[in-house]
Amino acid sequence: EMFKTNKIEQLKIKDGKPTAFRPPVWPFLIAGIFILFGYNLTYILIFKFLLHLLGIFIFYKTLKLLKLKEGLILLGCLLFAIHPAWQIYSRVFLSEPITMFFLTLWVYLLISFLQKKIGFLPQALAGGVLILSHP
């Protein structure tokens, strides 16, 4: 309701409960999107959708690294794209899609590192962000 009437900017929180147990990545992403585009939940949904498309591409690249047959790669990407967790959590305000993206990115970078023995830092950073993206 606060978003629909654009009163969220004037909201003052009183006697709020501590939220230090929540990891910072998702709140920081939300804040960045709101600062850049305004306080509208549609922008969050668009961001999550675009992130999922990028995740599908990264998953495709991961399966290519494993040198699977093209048919299996396409089937895997289709299953990744319509995964039930994505269907459920893409429409809510939770961090699961972000976690799924960072997990996919980390797996890609890990396999790439194990095969080529280069790129330890990006893989380690993605793992760190993954840890900070979900409770």
Side-chain angles (χ1 to χ4, degrees), residues 57-69:
F57 177 72
I58 293 170
F59 190 69
Y60 173 80
K61 298 294 279 180
T62 302
L63 296 179
K64 286 293 249 189
L65 281 176
L66 296 173
K67 297 179 174 66
L68 298 174
K69 294 180 182 177

Side-chain angles (χ1 to χ4, degrees), residues 1-11 30-44 93:
E1 181 64 32
M2 298 294 285
F3 285 103
K4 289 180 182 177
T5 59
N6 207 14
K7 293 181 183 177
I8 195 75
E9 292 176 335
Q10 292 83 27
L11 179 66
I30 292 171
I33 292 168
F34 283 164
I35 288 169
L36 289 174
F37 301 107
Y39 298 98
N40 190 333
L41 292 179
T42 304
Y43 297 126
I44 299 292
F93 210 56

Side-chain angles (χ1 to χ4, degrees), residues 24-87:
V25 171
W26 182 227
F28 281 148
L29 285 173
I30 292 171
I33 292 168
F34 283 164
I35 288 169
L36 289 174
F37 301 107
Y39 298 98
N40 190 333
L41 292 179
T42 304
Y43 297 126
I44 299 292
L45 295 175
I46 292 170
F47 171 76
K48 285 167 56 173
F49 177 74
L50 293 174
L51 203 63
H52 186 60
L53 290 178
L54 182 58
I56 294 168
F57 177 72
I58 293 170
F59 190 69
Y60 173 80
K61 298 294 279 180
T62 302
L63 296 179
K64 286 293 249 189
L65 281 176
L66 296 173
K67 297 179 174 66
L68 298 174
K69 294 180 182 177
E70 193 68 26
L72 286 175
I73 291 174
L74 294 176
L75 177 63
C77 290
L78 173 68
L79 293 174
F80 182 91
I82 62 170
H83 190 275
W86 170 253
Q87 298 299 320

